[in-house]
Amino acid sequence: MVSNFDAKLSEYARLLVEVGLNVQPGQTPSIEGNVEYVPLMRRCVSACFDCGARNVVPYFGDDFTTRETFLRADEAVFGEYPSYMKARVDWFLEQKSPRLSFSGSNPELLKDVDPARIQARRRASGPPTKPYFDAMQAGKFQWCVGAHPTVSWAEKVFPDKKGEEALDALWEAVFSVCRITGDGKAVERWREAVSAISRRSRVLNDYNFASLHYTNALGTDLTILLPENHVWAGGSEKSVAGVEFIANIPTEEIFTAPLRNGVDGRVHSSMPLAMDGNLIKDFYFDFKDGRIVDVHAKQGEELLRRAIELDEGARYLGEVALVPYDSPIRNTGILFYNTLFDENASCHLAFGQAYAACVRGGEDMDEEAQKAAGLNRSMTHVDFMVGTRDLSIVGTTHDGREIPVFVDGNFAF
Ligand code: ZN
Ligand code: ZN
Protein backbone atom coordinates (compact mmCIF):
# COMPACT_ATOMS: atom_id res chain seq x y z
CA MET A 1 0.00 0.00 0.00
CA VAL A 2 1.24 3.48 -0.88
CA SER A 3 0.40 5.79 2.03
CA ASN A 4 -2.04 8.56 1.19
CA PHE A 5 -2.25 7.32 -2.42
CA ASP A 6 -5.39 9.22 -3.46
CA ALA A 7 -4.09 12.55 -2.20
CA LYS A 8 -0.74 11.96 -3.91
CA LEU A 9 -2.40 10.98 -7.20
CA SER A 10 -4.47 14.17 -7.19
CA GLU A 11 -1.40 16.25 -6.35
CA TYR A 12 0.43 14.58 -9.24
CA ALA A 13 -2.42 15.35 -11.67
CA ARG A 14 -2.41 19.00 -10.59
CA LEU A 15 1.37 19.17 -10.96
CA LEU A 16 1.23 17.78 -14.51
CA VAL A 17 -1.66 19.98 -15.64
CA GLU A 18 -0.97 23.25 -13.77
CA VAL A 19 2.83 23.36 -13.87
CA GLY A 20 3.82 20.87 -16.57
CA LEU A 21 1.21 21.77 -19.17
CA ASN A 22 0.06 25.08 -17.64
CA VAL A 23 -3.35 24.85 -19.37
CA GLN A 24 -4.78 28.27 -20.22
CA PRO A 25 -8.50 29.18 -20.26
CA GLY A 26 -10.08 28.31 -23.63
CA GLN A 27 -7.47 25.70 -24.64
CA THR A 28 -8.31 22.12 -25.68
CA PRO A 29 -5.61 19.80 -24.28
CA SER A 30 -5.10 16.26 -25.51
CA ILE A 31 -4.21 13.57 -22.97
CA GLU A 32 -2.64 10.33 -24.20
CA GLY A 33 -2.10 7.22 -22.14
CA ASN A 34 -2.73 3.52 -21.74
CA VAL A 35 -6.03 2.10 -20.52
CA GLU A 36 -4.57 1.24 -17.11
CA TYR A 37 -3.78 4.92 -16.46
CA VAL A 38 -7.47 5.85 -16.24
CA PRO A 39 -7.54 6.92 -12.54
CA LEU A 40 -4.73 9.43 -13.10
CA MET A 41 -5.98 10.51 -16.54
CA ARG A 42 -9.45 11.23 -15.14
CA ARG A 43 -7.90 13.45 -12.47
CA CYS A 44 -5.94 15.21 -15.21
CA VAL A 45 -9.14 15.76 -17.22
CA SER A 46 -10.72 17.41 -14.15
CA ALA A 47 -7.58 19.46 -13.50
CA CYS A 48 -7.68 20.73 -17.13
CA PHE A 49 -11.30 21.86 -16.72
CA ASP A 50 -10.32 23.46 -13.38
CA CYS A 51 -7.81 25.53 -15.37
CA GLY A 52 -10.60 26.69 -17.72
CA ALA A 53 -10.08 24.27 -20.61
CA ARG A 54 -12.66 24.61 -23.37
CA ASN A 55 -12.60 20.84 -23.91
CA VAL A 56 -10.30 17.90 -23.13
CA VAL A 57 -9.59 15.11 -25.63
CA PRO A 58 -8.28 11.82 -24.16
CA TYR A 59 -6.73 9.05 -26.25
CA PHE A 60 -6.23 5.53 -24.89
CA GLY A 61 -3.70 2.94 -26.00
CA ASP A 62 -3.01 -0.58 -24.77
CA ASP A 63 0.31 -2.42 -24.38
CA PHE A 64 -1.18 -5.88 -25.01
CA THR A 65 -2.72 -4.75 -28.29
CA THR A 66 0.50 -3.05 -29.36
CA ARG A 67 2.59 -6.18 -28.80
CA GLU A 68 -0.01 -8.51 -30.33
CA THR A 69 -0.13 -6.26 -33.39
CA PHE A 70 3.64 -6.19 -33.81
CA LEU A 71 3.78 -9.98 -33.56
CA ARG A 72 0.73 -10.95 -35.62
CA ALA A 73 -0.45 -8.24 -37.98
CA ASP A 74 0.15 -8.43 -41.71
CA GLU A 75 3.68 -7.34 -42.67
CA ALA A 76 2.35 -4.54 -44.90
CA VAL A 77 0.61 -2.86 -41.95
CA PHE A 78 3.93 -1.53 -40.64
CA GLY A 79 4.63 0.41 -43.81
CA GLU A 80 1.29 2.27 -43.62
CA TYR A 81 0.20 5.28 -41.63
CA PRO A 82 -3.65 5.55 -41.58
CA SER A 83 -5.09 8.84 -42.85
CA TYR A 84 -7.39 9.22 -39.82
CA MET A 85 -4.34 9.22 -37.55
CA LYS A 86 -2.74 11.92 -39.68
CA ALA A 87 -5.98 13.94 -39.62
CA ARG A 88 -5.99 13.67 -35.85
CA VAL A 89 -2.50 15.14 -35.30
CA ASP A 90 -3.15 17.81 -37.95
CA TRP A 91 -6.29 18.87 -36.04
CA PHE A 92 -4.40 19.12 -32.75
CA LEU A 93 -1.72 21.17 -34.48
CA GLU A 94 -4.33 23.53 -35.94
CA GLN A 95 -5.85 23.99 -32.44
CA LYS A 96 -2.38 24.34 -30.86
CA SER A 97 -3.67 21.86 -28.28
CA PRO A 98 -1.44 21.39 -25.25
CA ARG A 99 -0.33 17.74 -25.18
CA LEU A 100 -0.01 15.63 -22.05
CA SER A 101 1.35 12.14 -22.50
CA PHE A 102 2.63 9.41 -20.23
CA SER A 103 5.53 7.07 -20.28
CA GLY A 104 4.99 3.78 -18.47
CA SER A 105 4.90 0.96 -20.97
CA ASN A 106 6.72 -2.27 -20.28
CA PRO A 107 10.39 -1.48 -21.12
CA GLU A 108 10.63 -4.82 -22.92
CA LEU A 109 7.23 -4.63 -24.61
CA LEU A 110 8.61 -5.30 -28.06
CA LYS A 111 11.16 -7.93 -27.07
CA ASP A 112 11.51 -10.58 -29.80
CA VAL A 113 9.61 -8.47 -32.32
CA ASP A 114 11.33 -8.39 -35.71
CA PRO A 115 13.40 -5.14 -35.67
CA ALA A 116 12.46 -4.63 -39.35
CA ARG A 117 8.80 -4.19 -38.31
CA ILE A 118 9.75 -1.60 -35.69
CA GLN A 119 11.90 0.25 -38.19
CA ALA A 120 9.15 0.12 -40.86
CA ARG A 121 6.62 1.55 -38.39
CA ARG A 122 9.00 4.40 -37.53
CA ARG A 123 9.66 5.16 -41.18
CA ALA A 124 5.92 5.14 -42.00
CA SER A 125 4.83 7.31 -39.08
CA GLY A 126 7.76 9.75 -39.31
CA PRO A 127 6.89 11.93 -42.34
CA PRO A 128 3.10 12.31 -41.70
CA THR A 129 3.59 13.29 -38.06
CA LYS A 130 6.68 15.43 -38.67
CA PRO A 131 4.86 18.80 -38.88
CA TYR A 132 3.17 18.06 -35.56
CA PHE A 133 6.29 16.97 -33.69
CA ASP A 134 8.41 19.73 -35.26
CA ALA A 135 5.84 22.27 -34.01
CA MET A 136 5.91 20.63 -30.59
CA GLN A 137 9.70 20.81 -30.34
CA ALA A 138 9.64 24.40 -31.54
CA GLY A 139 7.24 25.24 -28.68
CA LYS A 140 4.26 26.13 -30.90
CA PHE A 141 2.11 24.61 -28.14
CA GLN A 142 2.71 23.53 -24.52
CA TRP A 143 3.49 19.88 -23.88
CA CYS A 144 4.45 17.66 -20.99
CA VAL A 145 5.47 14.04 -20.56
CA GLY A 146 4.78 12.46 -17.18
CA ALA A 147 5.18 8.89 -15.96
CA HIS A 148 2.72 6.22 -14.96
CA PRO A 149 3.97 3.10 -13.13
CA THR A 150 2.75 -0.28 -14.43
CA VAL A 151 3.33 -3.76 -13.03
CA SER A 152 5.53 -4.88 -15.94
CA TRP A 153 7.70 -1.77 -15.65
CA ALA A 154 7.81 -2.06 -11.83
CA GLU A 155 8.90 -5.72 -11.93
CA LYS A 156 11.74 -4.75 -14.24
CA VAL A 157 12.86 -2.01 -11.84
CA PHE A 158 12.44 -4.15 -8.68
CA PRO A 159 13.24 -7.71 -9.80
CA ASP A 160 12.90 -9.12 -6.27
CA LYS A 161 9.33 -7.82 -5.86
CA LYS A 162 6.21 -9.11 -7.62
CA GLY A 163 2.91 -7.62 -8.79
CA GLU A 164 1.27 -5.06 -6.51
CA GLU A 165 4.30 -4.93 -4.22
CA ALA A 166 6.57 -3.91 -7.09
CA LEU A 167 3.96 -1.45 -8.38
CA ASP A 168 3.67 0.25 -4.96
CA ALA A 169 7.45 0.55 -4.71
CA LEU A 170 7.58 2.22 -8.12
CA TRP A 171 4.76 4.62 -7.25
CA GLU A 172 6.67 5.62 -4.08
CA ALA A 173 9.81 6.21 -6.15
CA VAL A 174 7.95 8.25 -8.80
CA PHE A 175 6.18 10.37 -6.18
CA SER A 176 9.43 10.96 -4.35
CA VAL A 177 11.48 12.13 -7.35
CA CYS A 178 8.50 14.26 -8.45
CA ARG A 179 8.60 15.88 -4.97
CA ILE A 180 5.04 14.73 -4.20
CA THR A 181 4.31 14.09 -0.53
CA GLY A 182 0.52 14.41 -0.35
CA ASP A 183 0.68 17.79 1.40
CA GLY A 184 -0.52 19.54 -1.76
CA LYS A 185 2.65 21.63 -2.14
CA ALA A 186 4.38 19.86 -5.05
CA VAL A 187 3.50 22.79 -7.31
CA GLU A 188 5.50 25.21 -5.10
CA ARG A 189 8.41 22.79 -4.70
CA TRP A 190 8.69 22.48 -8.47
CA ARG A 191 8.77 26.21 -8.97
CA GLU A 192 11.78 26.36 -6.58
CA ALA A 193 13.64 23.47 -8.26
CA VAL A 194 13.13 25.04 -11.65
CA SER A 195 14.64 28.34 -10.56
CA ALA A 196 17.83 26.55 -9.39
CA ILE A 197 18.16 24.96 -12.83
CA SER A 198 17.69 28.36 -14.45
CA ARG A 199 20.59 29.84 -12.45
CA ARG A 200 23.06 27.24 -13.80
CA SER A 201 21.75 27.69 -17.35
CA ARG A 202 22.52 31.41 -17.05
CA VAL A 203 26.10 30.66 -15.91
CA LEU A 204 26.60 28.33 -18.90
CA ASN A 205 25.12 30.87 -21.29
CA ASP A 206 27.43 33.57 -19.91
CA TYR A 207 30.53 31.44 -20.62
CA ASN A 208 29.30 30.79 -24.17
CA PHE A 209 31.73 27.86 -24.56
CA ALA A 210 33.25 27.02 -27.93
CA SER A 211 33.67 23.37 -26.94
CA LEU A 212 33.31 20.78 -24.19
CA HIS A 213 35.77 17.96 -23.53
CA TYR A 214 34.45 14.81 -21.76
CA THR A 215 36.68 12.22 -20.10
CA ASN A 216 36.16 9.33 -17.66
CA ALA A 217 37.58 5.95 -16.67
CA LEU A 218 35.19 4.02 -18.96
CA GLY A 219 37.27 5.30 -21.86
CA THR A 220 35.21 8.30 -22.89
CA ASP A 221 37.36 10.93 -24.59
CA LEU A 222 35.03 13.15 -26.57
CA THR A 223 35.20 16.71 -27.83
CA ILE A 224 31.96 18.48 -28.69
CA LEU A 225 31.96 21.86 -30.45
CA LEU A 226 28.92 24.04 -29.76
CA PRO A 227 27.18 26.30 -32.30
CA GLU A 228 28.17 29.93 -32.02
CA ASN A 229 24.68 31.01 -31.00
CA HIS A 230 23.83 28.04 -28.81
CA VAL A 231 21.49 28.48 -25.86
CA TRP A 232 21.44 26.31 -22.72
CA ALA A 233 17.92 25.61 -21.54
CA GLY A 234 16.40 23.66 -18.70
CA GLY A 235 13.61 23.58 -16.19
CA SER A 236 10.75 25.41 -17.79
CA GLU A 237 10.41 26.79 -21.30
CA LYS A 238 8.07 29.21 -23.00
CA SER A 239 5.73 28.44 -25.86
CA VAL A 240 5.70 30.74 -28.87
CA ALA A 241 2.59 32.34 -27.33
CA GLY A 242 4.61 33.04 -24.16
CA VAL A 243 3.10 30.36 -21.90
CA GLU A 244 5.60 28.76 -19.51
CA PHE A 245 5.56 24.95 -19.40
CA ILE A 246 7.76 22.00 -18.31
CA ALA A 247 8.24 19.44 -21.05
CA ASN A 248 9.28 16.61 -18.73
CA ILE A 249 8.30 15.87 -15.17
CA PRO A 250 10.58 15.06 -13.47
CA THR A 251 13.33 17.18 -15.02
CA GLU A 252 16.83 17.95 -13.75
CA GLU A 253 18.71 18.50 -17.02
CA ILE A 254 20.26 21.57 -18.63
CA PHE A 255 20.72 21.03 -22.35
CA THR A 256 21.78 22.52 -25.63
CA ALA A 257 22.63 21.35 -29.15
CA PRO A 258 26.09 20.31 -30.35
CA LEU A 259 27.53 21.60 -33.60
CA ARG A 260 26.39 18.95 -36.09
CA ASN A 261 29.82 18.35 -37.64
CA GLY A 262 31.82 19.18 -34.52
CA VAL A 263 31.91 15.94 -32.51
CA ASP A 264 35.10 13.83 -32.36
CA GLY A 265 36.32 10.92 -30.26
CA ARG A 266 34.74 8.08 -28.33
CA VAL A 267 31.88 8.09 -25.83
CA HIS A 268 30.81 5.15 -23.66
CA SER A 269 27.29 4.59 -22.35
CA SER A 270 27.02 4.58 -18.58
CA MET A 271 23.54 3.00 -18.30
CA PRO A 272 21.46 0.58 -20.39
CA LEU A 273 19.29 2.18 -23.06
CA ALA A 274 15.64 1.09 -23.22
CA MET A 275 14.58 1.52 -26.83
CA ASP A 276 11.54 0.19 -28.66
CA GLY A 277 10.85 -2.22 -25.83
CA ASN A 278 14.38 -3.63 -25.85
CA LEU A 279 17.50 -3.02 -23.79
CA ILE A 280 20.85 -2.04 -25.27
CA LYS A 281 23.80 -2.44 -22.91
CA ASP A 282 27.47 -1.41 -22.64
CA PHE A 283 27.88 0.42 -25.91
CA TYR A 284 30.14 3.06 -27.34
CA PHE A 285 30.15 5.32 -30.37
CA ASP A 286 33.15 6.64 -32.28
CA PHE A 287 32.68 10.03 -33.94
CA LYS A 288 34.52 11.73 -36.77
CA ASP A 289 33.47 15.24 -37.82
CA GLY A 290 30.15 14.72 -36.05
CA ARG A 291 29.31 11.46 -37.75
CA ILE A 292 29.04 8.13 -35.89
CA VAL A 293 31.62 6.03 -37.72
CA ASP A 294 31.63 3.01 -35.43
CA VAL A 295 29.28 1.48 -32.89
CA HIS A 296 29.71 -1.45 -30.58
CA ALA A 297 27.32 -2.89 -27.96
CA LYS A 298 27.60 -5.94 -25.70
CA GLN A 299 23.83 -6.40 -25.98
CA GLY A 300 21.42 -5.10 -28.64
CA GLU A 301 24.03 -3.97 -31.18
CA GLU A 302 21.80 -4.79 -34.17
CA LEU A 303 18.97 -2.60 -32.83
CA LEU A 304 21.35 0.23 -32.11
CA ARG A 305 22.78 0.02 -35.64
CA ARG A 306 19.30 0.13 -37.13
CA ALA A 307 18.42 3.11 -34.95
CA ILE A 308 21.37 5.16 -36.22
CA GLU A 309 20.64 4.10 -39.79
CA LEU A 310 17.06 5.42 -39.72
CA ASP A 311 18.12 8.48 -41.72
CA GLU A 312 21.35 10.43 -42.27
CA GLY A 313 20.68 12.69 -39.26
CA ALA A 314 20.37 9.70 -36.93
CA ARG A 315 24.17 9.32 -37.23
CA TYR A 316 24.78 12.76 -35.70
CA LEU A 317 24.19 14.17 -32.23
CA GLY A 318 21.26 16.47 -31.50
CA GLU A 319 21.54 17.08 -27.77
CA VAL A 320 24.12 17.66 -25.04
CA ALA A 321 22.63 17.54 -21.53
CA LEU A 322 24.20 18.11 -18.13
CA VAL A 323 22.84 16.47 -14.97
CA PRO A 324 24.76 16.24 -11.68
CA TYR A 325 25.68 12.72 -10.57
CA ASP A 326 24.14 13.66 -7.20
CA SER A 327 20.68 14.26 -8.67
CA PRO A 328 17.49 13.32 -6.77
CA ILE A 329 16.90 10.51 -9.25
CA ARG A 330 20.42 9.09 -9.12
CA ASN A 331 20.30 9.35 -5.34
CA THR A 332 17.36 6.92 -5.21
CA GLY A 333 19.89 4.37 -6.52
CA ILE A 334 17.18 3.03 -8.82
CA LEU A 335 17.68 2.25 -12.49
CA PHE A 336 14.24 3.04 -13.91
CA TYR A 337 14.69 1.52 -17.39
CA ASN A 338 12.82 4.60 -18.60
CA THR A 339 14.42 7.54 -20.38
CA LEU A 340 12.24 10.12 -18.63
CA PHE A 341 13.85 9.18 -15.32
CA ASP A 342 17.23 7.80 -16.30
CA GLU A 343 18.08 10.78 -18.51
CA ASN A 344 17.51 12.97 -15.46
CA ALA A 345 19.89 10.85 -13.41
CA SER A 346 22.86 11.33 -15.68
CA CYS A 347 24.65 13.52 -18.16
CA HIS A 348 23.44 12.39 -21.54
CA LEU A 349 23.67 12.91 -25.26
CA ALA A 350 21.09 12.17 -27.93
CA PHE A 351 21.53 11.10 -31.52
CA GLY A 352 19.06 12.54 -34.02
CA GLN A 353 17.04 15.72 -34.05
CA ALA A 354 18.26 18.84 -32.24
CA TYR A 355 15.83 21.23 -30.55
CA ALA A 356 15.46 24.34 -32.70
CA ALA A 357 15.32 26.49 -29.57
CA CYS A 358 18.93 25.51 -28.76
CA VAL A 359 20.26 28.23 -31.06
CA ARG A 360 19.18 31.84 -30.79
CA GLY A 361 16.20 32.46 -33.10
CA GLY A 362 16.13 28.78 -34.09
CA GLU A 363 12.33 28.45 -33.85
CA ASP A 364 11.91 30.99 -36.66
CA MET A 365 14.46 29.36 -38.98
CA ASP A 366 13.46 27.04 -41.79
CA GLU A 367 15.16 23.66 -42.10
CA GLU A 368 18.01 24.96 -44.25
CA ALA A 369 18.76 27.85 -41.89
CA GLN A 370 18.74 25.46 -38.92
CA LYS A 371 21.25 23.25 -40.68
CA ALA A 372 23.39 26.27 -41.49
CA ALA A 373 23.32 27.22 -37.80
CA GLY A 374 24.77 23.78 -37.04
CA LEU A 375 21.61 22.01 -35.82
CA ASN A 376 21.13 18.36 -36.71
CA ARG A 377 17.87 17.28 -38.40
CA SER A 378 16.41 13.77 -38.17
CA MET A 379 13.14 11.89 -37.71
CA THR A 380 14.52 10.40 -34.50
CA HIS A 381 15.86 11.59 -31.15
CA VAL A 382 17.29 8.98 -28.77
CA ASP A 383 18.87 9.93 -25.44
CA PHE A 384 21.66 7.81 -24.01
CA MET A 385 23.45 8.20 -20.69
CA VAL A 386 27.14 9.01 -20.41
CA GLY A 387 27.49 10.47 -16.90
CA THR A 388 29.59 8.66 -14.31
CA ARG A 389 30.83 9.37 -10.79
CA ASP A 390 34.22 10.38 -12.21
CA LEU A 391 33.06 12.30 -15.30
CA SER A 392 35.11 15.39 -16.05
CA ILE A 393 33.92 18.07 -18.48
CA VAL A 394 36.13 21.01 -19.34
CA GLY A 395 34.72 23.91 -21.31
CA THR A 396 36.88 26.05 -23.60
CA THR A 397 35.76 29.61 -24.23
CA HIS A 398 36.17 31.42 -27.55
CA ASP A 399 39.21 33.26 -26.15
CA GLY A 400 40.88 29.96 -25.18
CA ARG A 401 40.19 29.85 -21.42
CA GLU A 402 39.65 26.35 -19.98
CA ILE A 403 36.90 26.23 -17.34
CA PRO A 404 35.94 23.13 -15.32
CA VAL A 405 32.23 22.48 -15.89
CA PHE A 406 32.01 19.03 -14.26
CA VAL A 407 34.42 17.70 -11.66
CA ASP A 408 33.91 14.16 -10.32
CA GLY A 409 30.47 13.85 -11.89
CA ASN A 410 29.02 17.10 -10.53
CA PHE A 411 28.79 20.75 -11.57
CA ALA A 412 31.86 22.79 -10.72
CA PHE A 413 29.60 25.84 -10.09
ZN1 ZN B 1 17.76 15.48 -22.43
ZN1 ZN C 1 16.70 14.22 -25.35
Side-chain angles (χ1 to χ4, degrees), residues 121-404:
R121 165 63 59 87
R122 285 199 163 199
R123 284 222 165 106
S125 66
T129 57
K130 192 172 183 300
Y132 178 78
F133 287 109
D134 279 356
M136 183 171 121
Q137 293 203 346
K140 302 258 165 76
F141 50 88
Q142 309 112 268
W143 56 280
C144 177
V145 183
H148 196 294
T150 52
V151 171
S152 51
W153 174 21
E155 287 181 343
K156 180 86 201 162
V157 178
F158 301 103
D160 50 348
K161 294 185 164 67
K162 283 275 154 272
E164 288 295 308
E165 198 199 347
L167 186 62
D168 285 353
L170 187 54
W171 268 118
E172 295 279 18
V174 167
F175 285 146
S176 135
V177 299
C178 291
R179 299 168 170 86
I180 290 162
T181 62
D183 67 357
K185 291 190 182 139
V187 165
E188 287 78 5
R189 279 189 287 273
W190 267 96
R191 298 211 158 112
E192 235 168 79
V194 162
S195 82
I197 294 174
S198 304
R199 183 192 67 81
R200 281 194 171 123
S201 315
R202 280 196 299 274
V203 174
L204 287 162
N205 283 325
D206 288 347
Y207 278 122
N208 186 33
F209 289 117
S211 69
L212 300 175
H213 182 208
Y214 288 57
T215 49
N216 69 13
L218 282 178
T220 291
D221 186 348
L222 187 75
T223 302
I224 299 175
L225 305 189
L226 301 175
E228 219 158 291
N229 292 315
H230 71 271
V231 180
W232 290 95
S236 64
E237 47 197 295
K238 273 200 177 129
S239 73
V240 171
V243 181
E244 199 168 344
F245 67 98
I246 301 179
N248 289 280
I249 289 185
T251 185
E252 307 291 341
E253 65 169 344
I254 300 173
F255 62 97
T256 190
L259 186 68
R260 184 178 191 271
N261 298 319
V263 183
D264 281 280
R266 174 172 293 183
V267 66
H268 282 262
S269 67
S270 59
M271 291 164 84
L273 167 61
M275 196 174 63
D276 294 330
N278 287 276
L279 284 177
I280 298 159
K281 287 186 179 165
D282 297 322
F283 55 97
Y284 66 77
F285 292 120
D286 283 332
F287 289 87
K288 175 114 185 50
D289 300 326
R291 197 166 195 269
I292 296 172
V293 291
D294 198 11
V295 39
H296 179 84
K298 281 199 184 133
Q299 180 184 315
E301 185 172 301
E302 174 61 18
L303 272 160
L304 193 56
R305 278 186 193 281
R306 281 181 186 267
I308 62 164
E309 282 163 8
L310 187 72
D311 56 22
E312 182 56 17
R315 281 189 176 269
Y316 291 79
L317 292 187
E319 181 188 349
V320 182
L322 304 177
V323 181
Y325 192 79
D326 287 321
S327 78
I329 297 175
R330 165 78 68 185
N331 286 341
T332 63
I334 298 169
L335 175 62
F336 284 87
Y337 293 99
N338 180 310
T339 301
L340 181 62
F341 290 84
D342 295 333
E343 81 157 344
N344 282 299
S346 169
C347 279
H348 56 274
L349 302 168
F351 56 85
Q353 179 90 332
Y355 295 105
C358 288
V359 295
R360 221 155 281 133
E363 298 102 320
D364 303 323
M365 295 176 180
D366 62 17
E367 200 143 308
E368 283 314 303
Q370 287 181 5
K371 271 191 193 156
L375 293 175
N376 188 34
R377 312 296 302 164
S378 169
M379 284 196 290
T380 195
H381 176 103
V382 178
D383 298 282
F384 59 97
M385 313 315 145
V386 301
T388 51
R389 191 191 294 279
D390 68 336
L391 179 67
S392 153
I393 304 175
V394 175
T396 302
T397 60
H398 282 276
D399 55 7
R401 282 178 300 145
E402 292 194 346
I403 312 284

